[in-house]
């Protein structure tokens, strides 16, 4: 029986350094279980094999940068805190990969104050959309554009995300400090909570994917409506299959 052990912070930092600087495969001599901060989190028989696979299939290779590693790691940890099975984690990673153009880092919607005012402000060109987003005060459109791993947009969504984050123990007020939606850990919680609770389209991740065990291409394809209708659904499904394969090769499971 495999024994899962926690990895001290200095060992974890060494793993990160090897991703950034070494082209050779990562080798983790003991299985990785949970974040260095100590919560139950996730477990891998060999965490490095996930990244070895991602290098080989060139999604994040042939060399994985520190920011790519940190992005993947942050999303996986957020998923594991919610007890997510392998297909759900794979689809979260695939969504992040697509929405961030492969950087695995939070992004801000392209545009400036004039554009955001036009698109999202109560005094802009789409007041009905502004009301839908909770942007009832002039200036909200420019203050709450899309940010994060997925495009959290509008005062109403920033308010909802704040309540969720506080319930999970985060000391954050995204209404007062919307720029914090760009922090990777916060962006990952928003991604996971939104996918699980149907924030973005009303559909959530268990509508099409199994809570435990792997999923197939068709199931991943149907899951795009969690985020954005059918936009690029086949391409993102293929990403999810690849991430799922990498997670399987690493021996991903939820830690007991």
């Amino acid at each position: 029986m495999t024994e899962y052990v926690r990895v001290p912070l200095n060992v974890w930092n060494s793993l990160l350094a090897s991703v950034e600087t070494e082209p050779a495969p990562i080798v983790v001599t003991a299985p990785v279980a949970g974040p260095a901060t100590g919560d139950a989190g996730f477990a891998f028989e060999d965490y490095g094999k996930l990244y070895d696979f991602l290098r080989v299939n060139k999604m994040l290779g042939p060399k994985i940068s520190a920011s790519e590693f940190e992005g993947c790691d942050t999303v996986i940890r957020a998923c594991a805190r919610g007890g997510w099975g392998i297909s759900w984690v794979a689809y979260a990673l695939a969504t992040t990969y697509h929405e961030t153009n492969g950087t695995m880092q939070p992004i801000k919607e392209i545009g400036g104050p004039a554009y955001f005012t036009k698109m999202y402000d109560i005094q802009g060109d789409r007041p009905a959309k502004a009301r839908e987003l909770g942007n009832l005060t002039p200036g909200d459109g420019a203050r709450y554009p899309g940010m994060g791993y997925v495009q959290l947009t509008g005062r109403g969504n920033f308010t909802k995300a704040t309540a969720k984050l506080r319930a999970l123990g985060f000391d954050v007020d995204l209404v007062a400090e919307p720029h914090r939606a760009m922090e990777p850990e916060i962006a990952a919680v928003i991604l996971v909570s939104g996918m699980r609770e149907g924030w973005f389209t009303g559909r959530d991740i268990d509508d099409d994917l199994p809570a435990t065990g792997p999923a197939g291409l068709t199931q991943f394809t149907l899951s795009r409506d969690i985020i954005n209708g059918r936009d690029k659904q086949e391409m993102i499904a293929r990403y999810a299959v690849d991430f799922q394969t990498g997670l399987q090769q690493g021996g991903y499971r939820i830690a007991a």
Side-chain angles (χ1 to χ4, degrees):
M1 179 176 178
T2 302
E3 180 182 5
Y4 287 82
V5 298
R6 299 198 181 282
V7 177
L9 184 59
N10 65 325
V11 176
W12 197 262
N13 288 338
S14 296
L15 173 61
L16 173 57
S18 72
V19 176
E20 183 179 13
T21 61
E22 296 293 335
I26 305 165
V27 176
V28 183
T29 56
V32 176
T37 52
D39 58 316
F42 60 88
F44 283 86
E45 291 181 11
D46 189 333
Y47 193 28
K49 286 184 179 178
L50 164 62
Y51 298 97
D52 293 342
F53 175 80
L54 295 176
R55 274 199 294 266
V56 170
N57 81 345
K58 300 184 179 178
M59 286 185 67
L60 296 175
K63 179 180 178 181
I64 297 175
S65 69
S67 62
E68 289 168 341
F69 172 80
E70 289 168 342
C72 290
D73 184 69
T74 300
V75 170
I76 292 169
R77 289 166 187 267
C79 291
R81 281 194 294 269
W84 281 28
I86 193 167
S87 71
W88 292 16
V89 179
Y91 202 74
L93 288 167
T95 296
T96 301
Y97 184 82
H98 173 71
E99 297 292 340
T100 67
N101 196 29
T103 67
M104 307 305 290
Q105 289 294 308
I107 61 172
K108 184 175 180 179
E109 183 178 357
I110 296 172
Y115 173 76
F116 299 139
T117 297
K118 176 181 177 180
M119 296 297 290
Y120 305 130
D121 202 84
I122 196 68
Q123 295 183 331
D125 290 357
R126 304 192 302 167
K129 184 65 175 179
R131 285 190 289 271
E132 177 188 328
L133 293 171
N135 290 342
L136 305 181
T137 302
D140 282 351
R143 186 169 175 78
Y144 305 108
M147 299 185 210
Y149 286 125
V150 287
Q151 298 295 284
L152 186 74
T153 308
R155 179 187 281 268
N157 287 322
F158 278 69
T159 301
K160 180 190 294 185
T162 294
K164 183 68 178 183
L165 285 155
R166 286 180 169 176
L168 292 172
F170 288 82
D171 182 14
V172 62
D173 183 350
L174 296 181
V175 177
E177 299 179 292
H179 64 277
R180 294 199 63 190
M182 294 289 288
E183 295 178 15
E185 187 174 12
I186 288 173
V189 172
I190 291 168
L191 168 74
V192 169
S193 298
M195 293 178 75
R196 185 66 184 93
E197 298 175 9
W199 291 6
F200 309 120
T201 67
R203 288 182 62 78
D204 62 74
I205 197 160
D206 70 353
D207 287 335
D208 297 302
L209 295 177
T212 59
L217 182 64
T218 298
Q219 292 167 295
F220 283 130
T221 300
L222 293 172
S223 295
R224 179 58 178 164
D225 61 6
I226 301 166
I227 305 295
N228 188 10
R230 297 181 180 179
D231 174 58
K232 306 241 176 24
Q233 60 180 359
E234 293 89 358
M235 180 176 69
I236 300 165
R238 290 192 292 272
Y239 296 154
V241 169
D242 282 347
F243 276 114
Q244 182 174 262
T245 300
L247 290 164
Q248 288 173 318
Q249 290 192 9
Y252 172 86
R253 71 168 179 83
I254 300 299

